[in-house]
């Protein structure tokens, strides 16, 4: 799993929560985080993806450690609405979702 794939998975989790709850704050954040707005690898607001990459540093990302890394990233915002939105996902469902996402062709799979 690469950095962009992890970033995209976090986006999918938050977006899934937003689909059911329509929080204005979360919607604004997702608009800025959107990894699909442009063709390149990144986010709609480049600083969001750049900060994510800085947080990761040179860590190796696997499906097994990706949930803990994602939770660390979410915690870095100190925003209850983001933590609540990510909180509906448990590690077992996360790993299953990652395996499904990574098995399909997707943006960033060659990074």
């Amino acid at each position: 799993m690469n950095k962009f794939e992890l970033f995209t998975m976090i986006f999918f989790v938050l977006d899934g929560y937003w689909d059911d709850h329509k929080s204005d704050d979360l919607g604004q954040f997702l608009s800025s985080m959107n990894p699909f707005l442009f063709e390149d690898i990144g986010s709609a607001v480049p600083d969001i993806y750049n900060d994510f990459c800085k947080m990761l540093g040179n860590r190796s990302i696997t499906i097994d450690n990706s949930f803990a890394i994602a939770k660390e990233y979410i915690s870095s915002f100190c925003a209850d609405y983001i933590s609540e939105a990510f909180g509906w996902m448990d590690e077992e469902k996360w790993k299953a979702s990652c395996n499904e996402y990574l098995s399909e062709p997707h943006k960033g799979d060659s990074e």
Side-chain angles (χ1 to χ4, degrees), residues 16-69:
Y17 182 88
W18 183 86
D19 283 342
D20 291 338
H21 297 87
K22 305 297 187 217
S23 158
D24 289 339
D25 289 336
L26 184 58
Q28 289 175 1
F29 177 73
L30 287 169
S31 292
S32 298
M33 184 186 185
N34 189 337
F36 302 109
L37 190 60
F38 302 113
E39 288 187 32
D40 65 343
I41 301 301
S43 53
V45 174
D47 285 346
I48 293 177
Y49 184 68
N50 293 338
D51 290 346
F52 173 75
C53 290
K54 286 178 191 172
M55 184 216 71
L56 289 176
N58 292 323
R59 284 192 257 188
S60 178
I61 306 165
T62 65
I63 290 176
D64 288 333
N65 72 5
S66 63
F67 187 70
I69 295 170

Side-chain angles (χ1 to χ4, degrees), residues 39-102:
E39 288 187 32
D40 65 343
I41 301 301
S43 53
V45 174
D47 285 346
I48 293 177
Y49 184 68
N50 293 338
D51 290 346
F52 173 75
C53 290
K54 286 178 191 172
M55 184 216 71
L56 289 176
N58 292 323
R59 284 192 257 188
S60 178
I61 306 165
T62 65
I63 290 176
D64 288 333
N65 72 5
S66 63
F67 187 70
I69 295 170
K71 285 176 62 174
E72 178 186 340
Y73 176 64
I74 293 300
S75 294
S76 73
F77 288 101
C78 299
D80 290 342
Y81 69 94
I82 296 174
S83 296
E84 180 181 324
F86 192 82
W88 74 270
M89 177 64 69
D90 65 34
E91 189 168 6
E92 185 176 316
K93 187 171 182 174
W94 169 269
K95 287 181 179 181
S97 296
C98 285
N99 281 318
E100 181 179 340
Y101 171 62
L102 294 173

